[in-house]
Amino acid sequence: MEQNIFQRAVFFFFLTLFCISIFLVGKVIAPFFASLLLGIVIAGIFRPVFKTLDRYMPKRVASVLTCLAVFFIVFIPVVFIVGILSKEALGLYNMAKDAVFSNTLINFLESTRALERINEFFIRANIHTQISWRELIDPLTEVGKNLGFSLFQQARFLTSNLLNLVFYFCLMLIVVFYMFMDGKRFIQYMYDLSPLKDEHDRKLFEKFNDMAGAVLIGNGLGGLIQGTAGGALFWFLGLNSPFLWGVIMGFLAFLPIVGIGVVMLPAALVFLLKGSIGKGLFIVGFYGVLSWGVEYIFKPKVVGDRVSMHPLVVFFAIIGGLKVYGILGIIYGPLIATLFLTLSDIYFSTFQSMVEPGKGMLDSWPDQ
């Protein structure tokens, strides 16, 4: 009896020390968490490249060459985009805060007499409400001003802290290098450390890997296609800041349900109000073909059926991730949602019968 009490006391003492060590390690690596996570994710995405090179050369050389490929494919384009984005975002901010631009737009919209017809309809319907273009335009102008200023601030921060950007990117490359060299040992160590069954650990890892691939490869390439095509269309039509709007559409393409329609449809409406019916209808048709092609042809071929998550869950995961974590929330949000949904599946299949005996497994509706 005394021996059991002593063993329990030793176990709880060890458990306390272990939890403290986890907390302290977490505190130490917290400043580099983004570099660690992105390194693990990118290592998973570029692993096929590494495996191909590994067949013909030593593992260390293959890892170095793959890291160089990551540098030229990821880092160089990011620096180029940020440099141009900072200039165009400042232009959007200045244009949105310019009262002359706002007044010119309002005068043009008033000349269409569209709002007068709507107000007349309200009067006939006995609805005592009068809407003015100023009430509708001012909030949109404020959104444009805040969006432009926010993008400019982010881009200026990155360009002014280029040394920090290079430092964290190099840390990420170090993580990528050692994930190629010792990734299997690291994963097995995490399996051994986890109290869950290996099949549950494997399920968590595979879901994370699949979701990371879906976000960065499927959504990333889809966003690149839609942003590039949308920016090219805006340039062809002679609209202001086509590069900036292309970048914005590239990020919006990550969002299901709304996507690039947030930019494309208002642009089409402006042309329709100006009387350019052909251009307006062309933008609508271009948007429909582009969105449908990427969502229902390109992404299924690239990602396949490995990731199945309800669009509403993805939407709020990305929106919430952006709100909490900034631009990296595009990755963090879906990964956090994946963690919750995978743990839910494990709970339903293994632990629910312990907590609620006799209760059957629930339908995991977020995966439908």
Side-chain angles (χ1 to χ4, degrees), residues 166-317:
V166 172
F167 172 70
Y168 285 108
F169 191 84
C170 288
L171 286 182
M172 187 195 76
L173 285 181
I174 291 172
V175 174
V176 172
F177 174 81
Y178 281 107
M179 283 301 296
F180 288 144
M181 296 294 294
D182 302 309
K184 290 183 179 179
R185 288 168 54 193
F186 172 75
I187 293 169
Q188 188 58 51
Y189 175 77
M190 298 304 294
Y191 285 180
D192 294 338
L193 189 62
S194 171
L196 296 175
K197 295 179 181 179
D198 280 357
E199 60 184 276
H200 294 157
D201 292 326
R202 197 171 296 109
K203 184 176 183 179
L204 274 171
F205 177 76
E206 289 174 356
K207 287 284 187 179
F208 260 68
N209 203 33
D210 290 343
M211 178 52 70
V215 171
L216 289 182
I217 297 180
N219 288 354
L221 290 177
L224 179 65
I225 292 170
Q226 294 185 70
T228 303
L233 176 64
F234 276 31
W235 173 81
F236 177 76
L237 295 175
L239 297 174
N240 291 327
S241 305
F243 185 86
L244 173 63
W245 289 115
V247 172
I248 292 173
M249 283 187 276
F251 282 114
L252 288 173
F254 278 76
L255 292 174
I257 304 172
V258 290
I260 62 174
V262 174
V263 174
M264 284 282 196
L265 295 181
L269 181 61
V270 169
F271 278 108
L272 291 174
L273 290 174
K274 289 172 67 176
S276 301
I277 298 176
K279 289 183 178 178
L281 293 178
F282 178 76
I283 292 175
V284 173
F286 186 87
Y287 158 68
V289 171
L290 182 62
S291 296
W292 184 85
V294 170
E295 292 296 328
Y296 296 101
I297 297 178
F298 175 77
K299 285 186 181 179
K301 285 187 175 297
V302 172
V303 179
D305 298 325
R306 293 176 299 164
V307 178
S308 179
M309 189 182 294
H310 197 281
L312 192 62
V313 177
V314 178
F315 178 80
F316 280 106

Side-chain angles (χ1 to χ4, degrees), residues 126-141:
N126 202 24
I127 299 175
H128 302 288
T129 300
Q130 292 292 313
I131 305 173
S132 67
W133 283 114
R134 175 70 64 182
E135 293 174 346
L136 297 176
I137 293 300
D138 282 351
L140 295 177
T141 302

